[in-house]
Amino acid sequence: MELKDIKAVYFVGAGGIGMSAIARYFIHRGMVVAGYDKTPSELTRQLEKEGMLIHYEENVAEIPHACKDPKSCLVVYTPAIPATQKELVFFKEGNFEIEKRAQVLGTLTRTHKGLCVAGTHGKTTTSTMCAHIMHQSHVDCNAFLGGISKNYGTNYILSDTSDFVVIEADEFDRSFHWLRPWMSVITATDPDHLDIYGTKEAYLESFRHYTELIQPGGALIIHKGLEMKPNVQAGVKTYVYSRDEGDFHAKNIKIENGNIHFDFVSPIENINEIELGQPIPINIENSVAAMAMAQLNGCTAEEIKYGMKTYGGVDRRFDFKIKNDKLVFLSDYAHHPKEIYQSAKSIRELYKDRKITAIFQPHLYTRTRDFYKDFADALSQLDEVILCDIYPAREKPIPGVTSQLIYDNLKPGVEKSMIHKEDVLDLVKNRNFDVLIVLGAGDLDNYVPQMAKILESK
């Protein structure tokens, strides 16, 4: 189905963060947008205010009339919805066009210039940075992001004029193979999702195939030294970036008094005295990639400088809740060993002489089974590690796979303990901390607002 043929869009599983961004895109274009979700949430309530018709009972009769014509209604579903869901069965039997979120994003990259950010880690921050730089510039952009931008309070940006769309390209379930990028950043290819891919080689091959999808005339901006070797089409330029070397990199880095400044080195135009609005060491590297993409697509030096200075960050990505001389408290979505390594390295760089404590909730049994030694090595950079039970997400328990595997492999000298997440608030009430970080992609983050209130009251 071509974009021009779509008159209505129905979402089976409307309340997810990624689904809601696409719903908002179609609302903005004036289409009838409706959907089902199991339970109301703040996100679904907001979508209803914006004009989406949502119901919470699995009932074909609740589907609006405008969404019952297979010639003009696109159906978007999340794989989390069971195949037996009544409305999904209705659409399948009616021969509707039914697409996953990733397929819809792929359609958008065929009708817009897709600026995609892929990688095991760093993609949400880098894509959100790039989107902010471009949106506040004369170039502008649409954007579909994997987290809530603090600059905009949402995970999407819409433009009436720009042909660019910034997309976070997700490798889970090979979703990014639906995309046809104009340009792409690849931040990292450290193996992950081995429950899907099986082997490291298959994971790397998936990224290699993704690079073949970049359109001639476009560009690949790839992190220096990745094990994956790209295979771009003729007419696609390849650039290398990193923190310290490559076609795009930073030099004259100054980290002092909670601020970060550096000069941006580029084959197009160097830009001196970049100031990071979210001054975290790992964001030096992320910003180099984001600025490279923005510069290649027409943003000026002044627009790039202003964009980086005013960038506010992403919810749950190095997200400071308390920051003063007595206490620092933050949460970070890091859930892969390399992400945790970079997070720990950044926080150590910022707070060299302070005691750093991490509360970590591992995410997935398979990931813990495959990488428990790497998790232990990454966490051992910190002074104290408090481990919660594994967050299962979509998985069933695996015999013998618990947080104890990580605990047993932490290096000597690291203070360590294990705790149930339900006991975390009591722990925070009864302990004093210097620098405290909550790590992981599970549901421990739900406790962070209460933890912040307890710590502030102390």
Side-chain angles (χ1 to χ4, degrees):
M1 190 180 282
E2 295 291 321
L3 211 54
K4 61 181 174 58
D5 300 325
I6 300 170
K7 304 288 189 294
V9 188
Y10 192 86
F11 289 80
V12 187
I17 191 84
M19 295 282 272
S20 64
I22 297 174
R24 284 166 160 153
Y25 172 83
F26 287 117
I27 292 169
H28 187 72
R29 292 180 71 91
M31 298 174 187
V32 175
V33 180
Y36 157 85
D37 206 88
K38 196 173 181 180
T39 51
S41 66
E42 186 54 43
L43 195 49
T44 58
R45 283 188 280 273
Q46 189 57 44
L47 288 168
E48 289 182 86
K49 284 181 188 173
E50 293 170 26
M52 187 173 181
L53 306 168
I54 307 178
H55 62 270
Y56 304 95
E57 179 190 351
E58 194 177 320
N59 186 352
V60 172
E62 295 276 359
I63 300 171
H65 179 73
C67 299
K68 288 186 174 177
D69 182 357
K71 292 178 183 172
S72 61
C73 180
L74 172 67
V75 178
V76 186
Y77 77 103
T78 169
I81 295 285
T84 54
Q85 202 267 359
K86 292 174 186 175
E87 296 176 17
L88 196 54
V89 170
F90 166 80
F91 289 120
K92 285 176 182 173
E93 291 177 349
N95 293 317
F96 283 73
E97 181 146 344
I98 303 173
E99 294 189 355
K100 293 181 183 178
R101 170 180 176 269
Q103 290 172 270
V104 180
L105 293 177
T107 299
L108 296 182
T109 60
R110 291 172 177 84
T111 52
H112 299 280
K113 285 187 171 178
L115 306 180
C116 304
V117 181
T120 316
H121 44 83
K123 55 183 176 283
T124 300
T125 298
T126 304
S127 56
T128 307
M129 277 181 175
C130 180
H132 175 60
I133 296 168
M134 294 192 66
H135 184 60
Q136 56 82 46
S137 78
H138 76 285
V139 180
D140 203 359
C141 69
N142 301 275
F144 296 89
L145 307 168
I148 301 294
S149 161
K150 291 193 166 187
N151 288 93
Y152 305 102
T154 183
N155 56 327
Y156 80 105
I157 297 171
L158 298 177
S159 167
D160 292 321
T161 57
S162 180
D163 193 36
F164 290 105
V165 56
V166 177
I167 291 174
E168 181 175 329
D170 188 4
E171 79 276 13
F172 174 72
D173 201 22
R174 298 176 174 84
S175 292
F176 61 171
H177 290 175
W178 292 103
L179 304 176
R180 297 296 179 269
W182 169 243
M183 292 190 187
S184 183
V185 167
I186 297 181
T187 61
T189 56
D190 306 297
D192 195 10
H193 304 300
L194 296 185
D195 54 323
I196 300 291
Y197 288 99
T199 66
K200 178 176 93 169
E201 289 72 25
Y203 187 78
L204 296 175
E205 168 58 27
S206 186
F207 273 92
R208 190 198 64 77
H209 176 62
Y210 170 73
T211 66
E212 296 174 347
L213 305 176
I214 300 170
Q215 298 177 33
L220 170 64
I221 306 157
I222 188 167
H223 194 285
K224 186 178 189 302
L226 298 191
E227 193 173 349
M228 185 276 303
K229 301 307 175 195
N231 185 36
V232 298
Q233 298 183 59
V236 175
K237 291 183 179 176
T238 298
Y239 299 92
V240 172
Y241 83 95
S242 76
R243 172 167 161 156
D244 301 310
E245 52 187 329
D247 300 307
F248 297 95
H249 66 273
K251 71 173 185 178
N252 301 327
I253 298 168
K254 295 186 282 261
I255 302 175
E256 52 194 13
N257 302 321
N259 298 309
I260 297 179
H261 294 81
F262 61 89
D263 299 334
F264 175 57
V265 178
S266 158
I268 300 163
E269 179 189 4
N270 293 350
I271 307 174
N272 293 334
E273 279 299 301
I274 297 290
E275 180 183 348
L276 286 188
Q278 200 194 27
I280 300 158
I282 185 57
N283 278 351
I284 299 171
E285 191 164 83
N286 292 332
S287 69
V288 167
M291 290 189 288
M293 186 110 86
Q295 192 179 54
L296 286 168
N297 288 288
C299 294
T300 68
E302 284 307 309
E303 289 170 342
I304 288 170
K305 282 186 79 166
Y306 184 75
M308 288 316 313
K309 185 176 181 179
T310 56
Y311 171 72
V314 185
D315 279 355
R316 293 187 73 179
R317 268 65 172 191
F318 233 91
D319 194 352
F320 285 93
K321 304 298 182 183
I322 301 172
K323 192 177 181 182
N324 57 48
D325 291 340
K326 292 181 180 177
L327 173 67
V328 175
F329 175 49
L330 68 156
S331 71
D332 191 21
Y333 191 73
H335 57 282
H336 182 278
K338 283 290 173 71
E339 289 175 331
I340 290 174
Y341 176 82
Q342 292 291 355
S343 186
K345 183 181 173 188
S346 282
I347 203 162
R348 177 63 75 198
E349 208 167 342
L350 284 171
Y351 302 107
K352 293 181 177 68
D353 303 319
R354 297 177 71 168
K355 181 182 178 181
I356 302 168
T357 301
I359 305 176
F360 175 50
Q361 181 189 40
H363 185 267
L364 298 179
Y365 293 104
T366 52
R367 188 181 281 128
T368 306
R369 176 198 65 199
D370 295 335
F371 302 118
Y372 66 88
K373 288 184 179 176
D374 298 321
F375 277 122
D377 286 346
L379 289 164
S380 293
Q381 295 179 87
L382 305 175
D383 300 299
E384 181 183 12
V385 177
I386 301 165
L387 288 162
C388 292
D389 299 323
I390 296 169
Y391 181 73
R394 57 188 178 270
E395 294 184 340
K396 297 279 190 270
I398 298 172
V401 178
T402 70
S403 299
Q404 187 79 37
L405 290 172
I406 300 171
Y407 180 93
D408 291 342
N409 283 274
L410 289 165
K411 291 180 180 173
V414 177
E415 292 179 42
K416 59 185 183 178
S417 56
M418 294 178 67
I419 191 172
H420 298 299
K421 70 182 178 192
E422 294 82 8
D423 299 324
V424 162
L425 296 180
D426 284 336
L427 172 83
V428 172
K429 283 176 190 169
N430 297 314
R431 281 279 311 273
N432 291 318
F433 298 97
D434 191 1
V435 178
L436 176 62
I437 181 167
V438 171
L439 292 166
D443 60 355
L444 186 61
D445 192 73
N446 295 340
Y447 291 81
V448 165
Q450 293 163 276
M451 292 168 73
K453 281 184 182 175
I454 293 166
L455 291 166
E456 281 170 344
S457 69
K458 292 168 73 172

